[in-house]
Structures are given as structure tokens and as C-alpha cells.
Amino acid sequence: MNISFGLSVKEVQKAKEEVLAYKKELNEKLNLFSMRLAQEGIFIARVNISEHNAIYSGELIQSINMEKDGTGAFTIFTNCPYAQFVEFGFGVQGQENPHPISTSFGWKYDVNEHGEYGWWYQKNGEWYWSNGQPSKPFMWETAIELRKRILTIAEEVFRT
């Protein structure tokens, strides 16, 4: 944007109005940019869940959502109670196929030390055996993919 003006009171006032209008337009575009990134992130996360074959009941994929904070930034989140176990894995299988950053904050894989013996659990009246599951880092991969798309989204929003 190019604003030029003379030194008369009227010209300075007009320039001030143009700057304020530009500021408003820029803030609107920043909000739109933030929202578009969050929307794209939700889409990518849901695709990643599908590609990891992590759809059991549909609860996880439907729980991916966004919320806006007071600064205008959006957060992509899930409130699904088992999302962290899908993301990071658990048990021996998780330990053998860990999340890319699991060691950064001390994620424990075989906390009950079941090892290869695993454990039995009941679901919907049926008994199942497990020794864990590998990491299916759908949110980690979402962040990586979103970083790749950020410039394209910025160009779309700020083009005009």
C-alpha cells in the first residue's frame, strides 16, 4: 500500500483515515488467515486419522475442532479421551514404533510392564487381547503439512 500526502491539515487527515482503513483491512485479513489455517488444519488432521486407519467409533475424527482465543489466534484440538494414545501409541507396540517427539517430554509406553504378554480388555461385551499399538501421529503430521501450506494460504488471503 502506498499512501502519499501533502502537508495541509486536510491532506494529513485524509492520510490518517487511509492508514486507519488499511489497519482495519489488515486486521480482518490476519483474522481470516488465522481462521483459514485452522480450517485447513482440521481437514488435514481428519485425513491423517483416516490414512492411519484410526477410525474406531468416529469419536476421534469428529472431535477435531478449533477455537479462537482473545488474541485472534486459533487452536486446533481434540477432546477425545483416547486421542493421546492414538497419537503417541502405547504398550510394547508403541515402544517399538514411537512418536517422533515422545522422548522429548517423557511419554511412557509400557507403564504397567505387560511386555509381550499384553492384556485382555472388554469392549461392547466382547473380549480382546492387546500388547499396545504403534504411534499414529496424526496431529504431528498435521503440523508438518500445515507448515508446507502456510505460504499458499497467505497468498490466497493477502493477494488483494
Side-chain angles (χ1 to χ4, degrees), residues 60-154:
L60 176 59
I61 202 164
Q62 291 302 316
S63 74
I64 305 295
N65 214 325
M66 66 183 188
E67 67 183 10
K68 186 176 182 181
D69 70 15
T71 68
F74 283 84
T75 300
I76 303 168
F77 70 95
T78 173
N79 57 3
C80 180
Y82 58 84
Q84 64 186 351
F85 298 106
V86 175
E87 177 76 19
F88 293 99
F90 59 93
V92 173
Q93 288 189 43
Q95 198 165 353
E96 291 172 358
N97 301 284
H99 190 278
I101 62 166
S102 61
T103 56
S104 299
F105 59 94
W107 181 258
K108 305 271 191 258
Y109 282 98
D110 193 12
V111 293
N112 294 324
E113 298 181 12
H114 292 292
E116 289 294 331
Y117 292 110
W119 59 91
W120 287 92
Y121 66 97
Q122 192 174 27
K123 179 178 174 184
N124 300 328
E126 299 287 326
W127 284 95
Y128 299 91
W129 178 85
S130 177
N131 67 348
Q133 102 173 358
S135 170
K136 298 175 180 178
F138 65 96
M139 289 302 278
W140 171 259
E141 292 167 352
T142 296
I144 291 169
E145 182 61 31
L146 203 51
R147 282 187 200 111
K148 293 177 186 175
R149 298 183 188 189
I150 195 166
L151 289 178
T152 302
I153 295 169

Side-chain angles (χ1 to χ4, degrees), residues 36-53:
R36 282 278 295 113
L37 284 173
Q39 290 169 333
E40 191 75 8
I42 290 171
F43 174 77
I44 295 167
R46 289 178 176 169
V47 168
N48 287 341
I49 290 168
S50 297
E51 288 179 350
H52 279 295
N53 197 21

